[in-house]
Amino acid sequence: MPRRRIADWSLLALGLVALAATALGTLAVVSRYIFSLPISFSDEVVTYLVVWSLLVAVGVGERGNIHIRATVITERLGPRTQLWLDRATLVLTIAFAAVMIGYGSQIAWQRLVLNEVSPTILQFPQWVARLCVPVGFLLVALAAVRRLRKPTEAKTEAV
């Protein structure tokens, strides 16, 4: 699948998740305050949707090199120095992502082994909720490795 189509589908999926979280949050507020029928698990589901989409979006942003960065100093440097700093930043990004993947996987695994579920009526498995950290940072690491291999292509590429 072409890169542009992957980016389009990932952004569409993130938008649908945001729409679902907004719709559920709105429904919960209307249900609670207008009909006096609270949806007991709505806050939990909205939180899971927002956190999962946030961490996936970080990977999408890294893939397209569209994340926020401070460039006040680096834009004044020469092209070679900028390229070197870009590569160093990518290496540090990969290292940080590896740490987050490792610790996030341990936490998710512990929740699976302990069979921990949420305290609400939903009884949502906590390993699924915690898995967003290693999955999100795996996407970051893969995108950073890809950009490290082709830094000039990644700089001009748009999501």
Short mmCIF file of all heavy atoms in Angstrom, two decimals, residues 69-131:
data_model
loop_
_atom_site.label_atom_id
_atom_site.label_comp_id
_atom_site.label_asym_id
_atom_site.label_seq_id
_atom_site.Cartn_x
_atom_site.Cartn_y
_atom_site.Cartn_z
N ARG A 69 8.41 20.98 17.16
CA ARG A 69 9.82 21.03 17.56
C ARG A 69 10.26 22.49 17.63
O ARG A 69 9.73 23.34 16.92
CB ARG A 69 10.68 20.22 16.60
CG ARG A 69 10.81 20.89 15.26
CD ARG A 69 11.61 20.03 14.29
NE ARG A 69 10.70 19.74 13.19
CZ ARG A 69 10.45 18.54 12.73
NH1 ARG A 69 11.07 17.52 13.21
NH2 ARG A 69 9.61 18.36 11.75
N ALA A 70 11.23 22.73 18.46
CA ALA A 70 11.82 24.06 18.58
C ALA A 70 13.02 24.13 17.63
O ALA A 70 13.95 23.35 17.75
CB ALA A 70 12.25 24.33 20.00
N THR A 71 12.99 25.07 16.69
CA THR A 71 14.05 25.15 15.68
C THR A 71 14.74 26.51 15.67
O THR A 71 15.42 26.85 14.71
CB THR A 71 13.48 24.87 14.28
OG1 THR A 71 12.46 25.82 14.00
CG2 THR A 71 12.93 23.46 14.19
N VAL A 72 14.56 27.27 16.72
CA VAL A 72 15.12 28.62 16.76
C VAL A 72 16.63 28.59 16.57
O VAL A 72 17.18 29.40 15.82
CB VAL A 72 14.76 29.31 18.10
CG1 VAL A 72 15.46 30.63 18.24
CG2 VAL A 72 13.26 29.47 18.21
N ILE A 73 17.29 27.65 17.20
CA ILE A 73 18.75 27.57 17.09
C ILE A 73 19.17 26.73 15.88
O ILE A 73 20.04 27.15 15.11
CB ILE A 73 19.35 26.98 18.39
CG1 ILE A 73 19.09 27.94 19.55
CG2 ILE A 73 20.84 26.71 18.24
CD1 ILE A 73 19.45 27.40 20.90
N THR A 74 18.54 25.59 15.69
CA THR A 74 19.00 24.68 14.63
C THR A 74 18.82 25.24 13.22
O THR A 74 19.61 24.93 12.34
CB THR A 74 18.29 23.32 14.72
OG1 THR A 74 16.88 23.51 14.63
CG2 THR A 74 18.64 22.61 16.01
N GLU A 75 17.82 26.08 13.01
CA GLU A 75 17.63 26.63 11.65
C GLU A 75 18.73 27.62 11.27
O GLU A 75 18.90 27.94 10.10
CB GLU A 75 16.25 27.26 11.52
CG GLU A 75 16.03 28.49 12.36
CD GLU A 75 14.60 28.96 12.37
OE1 GLU A 75 13.71 28.22 11.92
OE2 GLU A 75 14.37 30.08 12.84
N ARG A 76 19.48 28.08 12.23
CA ARG A 76 20.59 29.01 11.96
C ARG A 76 21.90 28.27 11.66
O ARG A 76 22.90 28.90 11.32
CB ARG A 76 20.79 29.95 13.14
CG ARG A 76 19.66 30.97 13.28
CD ARG A 76 19.81 31.76 14.57
NE ARG A 76 18.95 32.90 14.72
CZ ARG A 76 17.63 32.90 14.80
NH1 ARG A 76 16.98 31.78 14.69
NH2 ARG A 76 16.93 34.00 14.97
N LEU A 77 21.89 26.96 11.85
CA LEU A 77 23.09 26.16 11.61
C LEU A 77 23.17 25.75 10.15
O LEU A 77 22.19 25.81 9.41
CB LEU A 77 23.07 24.93 12.51
CG LEU A 77 22.99 25.21 14.02
CD1 LEU A 77 22.81 23.91 14.77
CD2 LEU A 77 24.22 25.95 14.49
N GLY A 78 24.32 25.27 9.77
CA GLY A 78 24.52 24.81 8.40
C GLY A 78 23.79 23.51 8.12
O GLY A 78 23.40 22.80 9.05
N PRO A 79 23.62 23.18 6.83
CA PRO A 79 22.89 21.97 6.45
C PRO A 79 23.51 20.69 7.01
O PRO A 79 22.79 19.78 7.43
CB PRO A 79 22.92 21.97 4.93
CG PRO A 79 23.35 23.32 4.52
CD PRO A 79 24.02 23.96 5.68
N ARG A 80 24.83 20.61 7.03
CA ARG A 80 25.49 19.41 7.55
C ARG A 80 25.21 19.24 9.04
O ARG A 80 24.93 18.14 9.51
CB ARG A 80 27.00 19.47 7.34
CG ARG A 80 27.42 19.01 6.00
CD ARG A 80 28.92 18.90 5.99
NE ARG A 80 29.32 18.18 4.81
CZ ARG A 80 30.55 18.09 4.41
NH1 ARG A 80 31.52 18.68 5.10
NH2 ARG A 80 30.84 17.42 3.33
N THR A 81 25.31 20.33 9.78
CA THR A 81 25.06 20.28 11.22
C THR A 81 23.59 19.94 11.49
O THR A 81 23.28 19.16 12.39
CB THR A 81 25.43 21.61 11.89
OG1 THR A 81 26.76 21.95 11.52
CG2 THR A 81 25.32 21.54 13.39
N GLN A 82 22.70 20.51 10.69
CA GLN A 82 21.28 20.20 10.85
C GLN A 82 21.02 18.72 10.60
O GLN A 82 20.26 18.08 11.34
CB GLN A 82 20.44 21.04 9.88
CG GLN A 82 20.29 22.47 10.30
CD GLN A 82 19.40 23.26 9.34
OE1 GLN A 82 18.68 22.68 8.53
NE2 GLN A 82 19.44 24.58 9.45
N LEU A 83 21.65 18.17 9.57
CA LEU A 83 21.48 16.74 9.27
C LEU A 83 22.03 15.89 10.40
O LEU A 83 21.39 14.92 10.83
CB LEU A 83 22.17 16.39 7.94
CG LEU A 83 22.02 14.95 7.48
CD1 LEU A 83 20.55 14.61 7.27
CD2 LEU A 83 22.82 14.72 6.21
N TRP A 84 23.20 16.26 10.93
CA TRP A 84 23.79 15.52 12.03
C TRP A 84 22.89 15.57 13.26
O TRP A 84 22.65 14.54 13.91
CB TRP A 84 25.18 16.09 12.36
CG TRP A 84 25.86 15.31 13.44
CD1 TRP A 84 26.63 14.20 13.28
CD2 TRP A 84 25.79 15.56 14.85
NE1 TRP A 84 27.05 13.74 14.50
CE2 TRP A 84 26.55 14.57 15.49
CE3 TRP A 84 25.17 16.53 15.62
CZ2 TRP A 84 26.70 14.51 16.86
CZ3 TRP A 84 25.32 16.47 17.01
CH2 TRP A 84 26.08 15.48 17.60
N LEU A 85 22.36 16.75 13.60
CA LEU A 85 21.46 16.89 14.74
C LEU A 85 20.17 16.11 14.53
O LEU A 85 19.63 15.50 15.46
CB LEU A 85 21.15 18.35 15.01
CG LEU A 85 22.25 19.17 15.66
CD1 LEU A 85 21.88 20.65 15.72
CD2 LEU A 85 22.56 18.64 17.05
N ASP A 86 19.67 16.12 13.30
CA ASP A 86 18.47 15.36 12.98
C ASP A 86 18.70 13.87 13.22
O ASP A 86 17.88 13.19 13.84
CB ASP A 86 18.05 15.61 11.53
CG ASP A 86 16.69 15.02 11.20
OD1 ASP A 86 15.76 15.20 12.00
OD2 ASP A 86 16.57 14.36 10.14
N ARG A 87 19.84 13.37 12.77
CA ARG A 87 20.16 11.95 12.97
C ARG A 87 20.36 11.63 14.44
O ARG A 87 19.91 10.60 14.92
CB ARG A 87 21.39 11.56 12.16
CG ARG A 87 21.09 11.50 10.68
CD ARG A 87 22.32 11.15 9.89
NE ARG A 87 21.99 11.08 8.49
CZ ARG A 87 22.32 10.07 7.71
NH1 ARG A 87 23.01 9.08 8.18
NH2 ARG A 87 21.98 10.08 6.45
N ALA A 88 21.05 12.51 15.17
CA ALA A 88 21.25 12.29 16.60
C ALA A 88 19.91 12.27 17.33
O ALA A 88 19.69 11.44 18.22
CB ALA A 88 22.16 13.37 17.17
N THR A 89 19.02 13.17 16.94
CA THR A 89 17.69 13.21 17.55
C THR A 89 16.93 11.92 17.26
O THR A 89 16.25 11.38 18.14
CB THR A 89 16.90 14.43 17.02
OG1 THR A 89 17.62 15.61 17.34
CG2 THR A 89 15.52 14.50 17.64
N LEU A 90 17.04 11.41 16.05
CA LEU A 90 16.37 10.16 15.71
C LEU A 90 16.93 8.99 16.52
O LEU A 90 16.18 8.13 16.98
CB LEU A 90 16.49 9.89 14.21
CG LEU A 90 15.65 10.80 13.32
CD1 LEU A 90 16.00 10.61 11.86
CD2 LEU A 90 14.16 10.56 13.56
N VAL A 91 18.23 8.96 16.72
CA VAL A 91 18.84 7.89 17.53
C VAL A 91 18.33 7.97 18.97
O VAL A 91 17.97 6.95 19.57
CB VAL A 91 20.38 7.96 17.46
CG1 VAL A 91 21.02 7.05 18.50
CG2 VAL A 91 20.87 7.60 16.07
N LEU A 92 18.28 9.19 19.52
CA LEU A 92 17.75 9.36 20.88
C LEU A 92 16.26 8.99 20.94
O LEU A 92 15.80 8.42 21.93
CB LEU A 92 17.96 10.79 21.35
CG LEU A 92 19.41 11.18 21.64
CD1 LEU A 92 19.51 12.67 21.93
CD2 LEU A 92 19.97 10.36 22.78
N THR A 93 15.52 9.32 19.90
CA THR A 93 14.11 8.96 19.84
C THR A 93 13.94 7.45 19.86
O THR A 93 13.09 6.92 20.58
CB THR A 93 13.45 9.55 18.57
OG1 THR A 93 13.55 10.98 18.62
CG2 THR A 93 12.00 9.14 18.44
N ILE A 94 14.75 6.75 19.09
CA ILE A 94 14.69 5.28 19.04
C ILE A 94 15.04 4.70 20.41
O ILE A 94 14.38 3.77 20.89
CB ILE A 94 15.60 4.74 17.93
CG1 ILE A 94 15.07 5.16 16.56
CG2 ILE A 94 15.75 3.22 18.02
CD1 ILE A 94 16.06 5.00 15.42
N ALA A 95 16.06 5.24 21.05
CA ALA A 95 16.45 4.75 22.38
C ALA A 95 15.33 4.97 23.39
O ALA A 95 15.00 4.07 24.17
CB ALA A 95 17.73 5.45 22.83
N PHE A 96 14.74 6.17 23.39
CA PHE A 96 13.64 6.45 24.31
C PHE A 96 12.45 5.55 24.03
O PHE A 96 11.83 5.01 24.95
CB PHE A 96 13.24 7.93 24.22
CG PHE A 96 12.10 8.29 25.13
CD1 PHE A 96 12.31 8.40 26.50
CD2 PHE A 96 10.82 8.49 24.63
CE1 PHE A 96 11.26 8.72 27.36
CE2 PHE A 96 9.78 8.81 25.48
CZ PHE A 96 9.99 8.92 26.84
N ALA A 97 12.14 5.37 22.75
CA ALA A 97 11.02 4.49 22.38
C ALA A 97 11.28 3.06 22.84
O ALA A 97 10.36 2.39 23.32
CB ALA A 97 10.79 4.55 20.87
N ALA A 98 12.52 2.60 22.73
CA ALA A 98 12.86 1.24 23.18
C ALA A 98 12.62 1.08 24.68
O ALA A 98 12.09 0.06 25.14
CB ALA A 98 14.31 0.92 22.82
N VAL A 99 13.00 2.09 25.45
CA VAL A 99 12.77 2.06 26.90
C VAL A 99 11.26 2.01 27.19
O VAL A 99 10.79 1.21 28.01
CB VAL A 99 13.42 3.27 27.60
CG1 VAL A 99 12.97 3.39 29.04
CG2 VAL A 99 14.94 3.17 27.51
N MET A 100 10.50 2.84 26.49
CA MET A 100 9.05 2.87 26.70
C MET A 100 8.39 1.56 26.27
O MET A 100 7.45 1.09 26.92
CB MET A 100 8.43 4.05 25.96
CG MET A 100 8.87 5.41 26.49
SD MET A 100 8.52 5.65 28.24
CE MET A 100 6.75 5.77 28.19
N ILE A 101 8.88 0.97 25.19
CA ILE A 101 8.36 -0.33 24.74
C ILE A 101 8.64 -1.38 25.80
O ILE A 101 7.76 -2.19 26.15
CB ILE A 101 8.97 -0.73 23.38
CG1 ILE A 101 8.47 0.20 22.28
CG2 ILE A 101 8.65 -2.19 23.05
CD1 ILE A 101 9.27 0.10 20.99
N GLY A 102 9.85 -1.38 26.32
CA GLY A 102 10.22 -2.37 27.33
C GLY A 102 9.39 -2.25 28.59
O GLY A 102 8.78 -3.24 29.05
N TYR A 103 9.37 -1.08 29.18
CA TYR A 103 8.61 -0.89 30.42
C TYR A 103 7.10 -1.00 30.19
O TYR A 103 6.38 -1.59 31.01
CB TYR A 103 8.94 0.44 31.08
CG TYR A 103 10.26 0.42 31.80
CD1 TYR A 103 11.32 1.24 31.39
CD2 TYR A 103 10.48 -0.41 32.88
CE1 TYR A 103 12.53 1.22 32.04
CE2 TYR A 103 11.70 -0.43 33.54
CZ TYR A 103 12.72 0.39 33.11
OH TYR A 103 13.92 0.36 33.77
N GLY A 104 6.63 -0.48 29.08
CA GLY A 104 5.19 -0.58 28.79
C GLY A 104 4.76 -2.02 28.59
O GLY A 104 3.68 -2.41 29.04
N SER A 105 5.61 -2.81 27.95
CA SER A 105 5.30 -4.24 27.76
C SER A 105 5.28 -4.97 29.09
O SER A 105 4.41 -5.82 29.33
CB SER A 105 6.33 -4.88 26.83
OG SER A 105 6.28 -4.29 25.56
N GLN A 106 6.23 -4.64 29.98
CA GLN A 106 6.24 -5.27 31.31
C GLN A 106 4.95 -4.96 32.08
O GLN A 106 4.36 -5.85 32.69
CB GLN A 106 7.42 -4.76 32.14
CG GLN A 106 8.73 -5.38 31.81
CD GLN A 106 9.85 -4.83 32.70
OE1 GLN A 106 9.74 -3.73 33.25
NE2 GLN A 106 10.91 -5.60 32.85
N ILE A 107 4.53 -3.71 32.02
CA ILE A 107 3.32 -3.32 32.74
C ILE A 107 2.09 -4.02 32.16
O ILE A 107 1.25 -4.54 32.89
CB ILE A 107 3.16 -1.79 32.73
CG1 ILE A 107 4.25 -1.16 33.60
CG2 ILE A 107 1.77 -1.37 33.21
CD1 ILE A 107 4.37 0.34 33.46
N ALA A 108 2.00 -4.05 30.83
CA ALA A 108 0.86 -4.73 30.20
C ALA A 108 0.88 -6.23 30.53
O ALA A 108 -0.18 -6.81 30.83
CB ALA A 108 0.90 -4.52 28.68
N TRP A 109 2.06 -6.83 30.51
CA TRP A 109 2.18 -8.26 30.82
C TRP A 109 1.77 -8.53 32.27
O TRP A 109 1.06 -9.51 32.54
CB TRP A 109 3.61 -8.73 30.56
CG TRP A 109 3.81 -10.17 30.92
CD1 TRP A 109 4.49 -10.66 31.98
CD2 TRP A 109 3.30 -11.30 30.21
NE1 TRP A 109 4.44 -12.03 31.99
CE2 TRP A 109 3.71 -12.45 30.91
CE3 TRP A 109 2.53 -11.45 29.06
CZ2 TRP A 109 3.39 -13.73 30.48
CZ3 TRP A 109 2.21 -12.74 28.64
CH2 TRP A 109 2.64 -13.85 29.34
N GLN A 110 2.19 -7.68 33.20
CA GLN A 110 1.80 -7.85 34.60
C GLN A 110 0.29 -7.78 34.76
O GLN A 110 -0.30 -8.56 35.51
CB GLN A 110 2.45 -6.78 35.47
CG GLN A 110 3.93 -6.97 35.67
CD GLN A 110 4.57 -5.76 36.35
OE1 GLN A 110 3.96 -4.70 36.50
NE2 GLN A 110 5.82 -5.92 36.77
N ARG A 111 -0.35 -6.87 34.05
CA ARG A 111 -1.81 -6.75 34.14
C ARG A 111 -2.49 -7.98 33.56
O ARG A 111 -3.53 -8.40 34.06
CB ARG A 111 -2.31 -5.49 33.41
CG ARG A 111 -1.78 -4.18 33.96
CD ARG A 111 -2.13 -4.03 35.43
NE ARG A 111 -1.42 -2.93 36.04
CZ ARG A 111 -0.37 -3.05 36.85
NH1 ARG A 111 0.12 -4.23 37.12
NH2 ARG A 111 0.20 -2.03 37.40
N LEU A 112 -1.90 -8.57 32.53
CA LEU A 112 -2.45 -9.79 31.94
C LEU A 112 -2.30 -10.96 32.91
O LEU A 112 -3.26 -11.70 33.16
CB LEU A 112 -1.75 -10.10 30.61
CG LEU A 112 -2.16 -11.40 29.92
CD1 LEU A 112 -3.61 -11.33 29.48
CD2 LEU A 112 -1.26 -11.67 28.73
N VAL A 113 -1.10 -11.11 33.47
CA VAL A 113 -0.84 -12.22 34.40
C VAL A 113 -1.72 -12.11 35.64
O VAL A 113 -2.24 -13.10 36.14
CB VAL A 113 0.66 -12.25 34.78
CG1 VAL A 113 0.93 -13.20 35.93
CG2 VAL A 113 1.50 -12.63 33.57
N LEU A 114 -1.89 -10.89 36.13
CA LEU A 114 -2.72 -10.68 37.32
C LEU A 114 -4.22 -10.70 37.01
O LEU A 114 -5.04 -10.62 37.93
CB LEU A 114 -2.35 -9.34 37.98
CG LEU A 114 -0.95 -9.25 38.56
CD1 LEU A 114 -0.65 -7.82 39.01
CD2 LEU A 114 -0.78 -10.23 39.72
N ASN A 115 -4.54 -10.76 35.72
CA ASN A 115 -5.94 -10.74 35.28
C ASN A 115 -6.68 -9.53 35.84
O ASN A 115 -7.82 -9.62 36.28
CB ASN A 115 -6.65 -12.04 35.65
CG ASN A 115 -7.91 -12.26 34.85
OD1 ASN A 115 -8.03 -11.76 33.73
ND2 ASN A 115 -8.85 -12.99 35.41
N GLU A 116 -6.00 -8.38 35.81
CA GLU A 116 -6.56 -7.16 36.36
C GLU A 116 -7.59 -6.57 35.39
O GLU A 116 -7.34 -6.46 34.20
CB GLU A 116 -5.44 -6.15 36.59
CG GLU A 116 -5.88 -4.91 37.32
CD GLU A 116 -4.71 -3.99 37.61
OE1 GLU A 116 -3.71 -4.46 38.16
OE2 GLU A 116 -4.81 -2.80 37.25
N VAL A 117 -8.73 -6.20 35.94
CA VAL A 117 -9.78 -5.56 35.15
C VAL A 117 -10.18 -4.26 35.83
O VAL A 117 -9.88 -4.04 37.01
CB VAL A 117 -11.03 -6.48 34.99
CG1 VAL A 117 -10.69 -7.72 34.18
CG2 VAL A 117 -11.61 -6.86 36.34
N SER A 118 -10.85 -3.40 35.10
CA SER A 118 -11.27 -2.12 35.66
C SER A 118 -12.34 -2.34 36.72
O SER A 118 -13.09 -3.33 36.67
CB SER A 118 -11.79 -1.20 34.55
OG SER A 118 -12.94 -1.75 33.97
N PRO A 119 -12.44 -1.42 37.68
CA PRO A 119 -13.41 -1.59 38.77
C PRO A 119 -14.85 -1.24 38.37
O PRO A 119 -15.75 -1.38 39.20
CB PRO A 119 -12.90 -0.63 39.85
CG PRO A 119 -12.15 0.42 39.09
CD PRO A 119 -11.57 -0.27 37.89
N THR A 120 -15.06 -0.80 37.14
CA THR A 120 -16.42 -0.42 36.73
C THR A 120 -17.20 -1.66 36.29
O THR A 120 -16.66 -2.76 36.20
CB THR A 120 -16.38 0.58 35.56
OG1 THR A 120 -15.79 -0.06 34.43
CG2 THR A 120 -15.58 1.83 35.93
N ILE A 121 -18.44 -1.43 35.95
CA ILE A 121 -19.30 -2.52 35.47
C ILE A 121 -18.76 -3.12 34.16
O ILE A 121 -19.01 -4.27 33.84
CB ILE A 121 -20.75 -2.02 35.30
CG1 ILE A 121 -21.70 -3.19 35.11
CG2 ILE A 121 -20.86 -1.03 34.16
CD1 ILE A 121 -23.17 -2.81 35.20
N LEU A 122 -17.97 -2.35 33.46
CA LEU A 122 -17.40 -2.81 32.19
C LEU A 122 -16.41 -3.94 32.39
O LEU A 122 -16.28 -4.80 31.53
CB LEU A 122 -16.74 -1.62 31.49
CG LEU A 122 -16.31 -1.80 30.06
CD1 LEU A 122 -17.48 -2.15 29.16
CD2 LEU A 122 -15.65 -0.52 29.56
N GLN A 123 -15.67 -3.92 33.51
CA GLN A 123 -14.65 -4.94 33.80
C GLN A 123 -13.66 -5.07 32.63
O GLN A 123 -13.32 -6.17 32.19
CB GLN A 123 -15.31 -6.30 34.09
CG GLN A 123 -16.18 -6.31 35.33
CD GLN A 123 -15.35 -6.29 36.59
OE1 GLN A 123 -14.68 -7.25 36.89
NE2 GLN A 123 -15.40 -5.19 37.31
N PHE A 124 -13.18 -3.93 32.14
CA PHE A 124 -12.29 -3.90 30.98
C PHE A 124 -10.92 -4.44 31.36
O PHE A 124 -10.35 -4.04 32.38
CB PHE A 124 -12.17 -2.46 30.47
CG PHE A 124 -11.53 -2.35 29.13
CD1 PHE A 124 -12.25 -2.60 27.98
CD2 PHE A 124 -10.19 -2.00 29.01
CE1 PHE A 124 -11.67 -2.50 26.74
CE2 PHE A 124 -9.59 -1.91 27.77
CZ PHE A 124 -10.34 -2.16 26.63
N PRO A 125 -10.34 -5.36 30.56
CA PRO A 125 -9.01 -5.90 30.87
C PRO A 125 -7.95 -4.79 30.82
O PRO A 125 -7.80 -4.11 29.81
CB PRO A 125 -8.76 -6.92 29.76
CG PRO A 125 -10.05 -7.12 29.08
CD PRO A 125 -10.92 -5.94 29.36
N GLN A 126 -7.23 -4.63 31.91
CA GLN A 126 -6.27 -3.54 32.00
C GLN A 126 -5.04 -3.75 31.14
O GLN A 126 -4.37 -2.79 30.78
CB GLN A 126 -5.88 -3.32 33.46
CG GLN A 126 -7.00 -2.72 34.28
CD GLN A 126 -7.45 -1.40 33.69
OE1 GLN A 126 -6.75 -0.41 33.78
NE2 GLN A 126 -8.62 -1.37 33.09
N TRP A 127 -4.76 -5.00 30.75
CA TRP A 127 -3.60 -5.20 29.86
C TRP A 127 -3.86 -4.56 28.50
O TRP A 127 -2.94 -4.05 27.88
CB TRP A 127 -3.25 -6.68 29.74
CG TRP A 127 -4.24 -7.51 28.98
CD1 TRP A 127 -5.31 -8.18 29.47
CD2 TRP A 127 -4.24 -7.74 27.56
NE1 TRP A 127 -5.99 -8.81 28.46
CE2 TRP A 127 -5.35 -8.56 27.28
CE3 TRP A 127 -3.42 -7.33 26.52
CZ2 TRP A 127 -5.65 -8.99 25.98
CZ3 TRP A 127 -3.72 -7.76 25.24
CH2 TRP A 127 -4.82 -8.58 24.98
N VAL A 128 -5.10 -4.56 28.05
CA VAL A 128 -5.44 -3.92 26.78
C VAL A 128 -5.25 -2.41 26.89
O VAL A 128 -4.68 -1.78 25.99
CB VAL A 128 -6.89 -4.26 26.34
CG1 VAL A 128 -7.26 -3.51 25.08
CG2 VAL A 128 -7.06 -5.76 26.15
N ALA A 129 -5.69 -1.85 27.99
CA ALA A 129 -5.54 -0.40 28.20
C ALA A 129 -4.07 -0.03 28.27
O ALA A 129 -3.64 0.99 27.71
CB ALA A 129 -6.26 0.01 29.48
N ARG A 130 -3.26 -0.83 28.95
CA ARG A 130 -1.84 -0.52 29.12
C ARG A 130 -1.01 -0.83 27.89
O ARG A 130 0.11 -0.34 27.75
CB ARG A 130 -1.26 -1.31 30.31
CG ARG A 130 -1.94 -1.08 31.63
CD ARG A 130 -1.94 0.39 32.03
NE ARG A 130 -2.46 0.59 33.36
CZ ARG A 130 -3.67 1.03 33.64
NH1 ARG A 130 -4.52 1.31 32.68
NH2 ARG A 130 -4.06 1.22 34.88
N LEU A 131 -1.52 -1.63 27.00
CA LEU A 131 -0.79 -2.00 25.78
C LEU A 131 -0.59 -0.81 24.85
O LEU A 131 0.26 -0.84 23.96
CB LEU A 131 -1.53 -3.12 25.06
CG LEU A 131 -0.77 -3.91 24.01
CD1 LEU A 131 0.43 -4.61 24.63
CD2 LEU A 131 -1.69 -4.94 23.37
#
